Amino acid sequence: MQIEKDVKLSSEKITKVNVTITAQSGAENSFEVTLEKVSDDTRINTILIDGRETTTFDEKTNTYTAYIDEQNNITNVSVLANNSNATVILDDISEVQIAQKDISTKENITSVPISIKAESGKLQNYTLQLIKKSADASLEIVAVNDITLESPYN
């Protein structure tokens, strides 16, 4: 015989339910079942670049972008998951809720893989693009009405 009963979950993460089983002979056995809510939340709460929140997010590509100084060859990246029980995978570092790593940024554009793994096991992948700001403010070509002007541009 199978008996089903709807259980109202508490507002807390864990709900305890008492269950009693009665045998045909009348003997009873009681025990407690612990139900734990797990989250599907794979969102990123915050990304810090060298201690500052300076990223933009493209929802279509799941890509965060941050501009860093041209001289930076090491950039400190911290990623905070939206859910306190989610796992953050930052490059090769895996930590619960927050991961931090110094990333080599010797190239003009550095791509860093980020994944958030929810308590439920659901995984969401993101990319962080670290782009060096250029200090080059020079002109290469100036053209007006199909006429190329010669340097100096007077």
Side-chain angles (χ1 to χ4, degrees), residues 85-152:
N85 296 306
T87 299
V88 178
I89 304 152
L90 171 60
D91 199 21
D92 60 351
I93 303 289
S94 179
E95 298 287 340
V96 173
Q97 191 179 18
I98 188 166
Q100 180 177 336
K101 183 176 182 182
D102 287 334
I103 303 290
S104 173
T105 52
K106 293 179 182 173
E107 303 299 322
N108 286 334
I109 298 175
T110 303
S111 291
V112 182
I114 301 170
S115 297
I116 304 293
K117 186 175 184 181
E119 289 177 286
S120 65
K122 180 180 174 185
L123 187 70
Q124 179 65 57
N125 297 316
Y126 299 90
T127 301
L128 171 63
Q129 294 280 356
L130 298 170
I131 301 173
K132 289 191 174 189
K133 298 178 205 172
S134 175
D136 184 1
S138 62
L139 290 174
E140 202 170 296
I141 295 174
V142 174
V144 177
N145 294 335
D146 295 327
I147 299 171
T148 302
L149 303 178
E150 300 296 323
S151 177

Side-chain angles (χ1 to χ4, degrees), residues 3-9 17:
I3 298 175
E4 292 184 21
K5 180 180 177 188
D6 289 335
V7 174
K8 183 176 181 188
L9 298 176
V17 178

Side-chain angles (χ1 to χ4, degrees), residues 9-15 37:
L9 298 176
S10 75
S11 60
E12 303 299 318
K13 185 168 178 60
I14 293 177
T15 301
K37 292 186 226 177

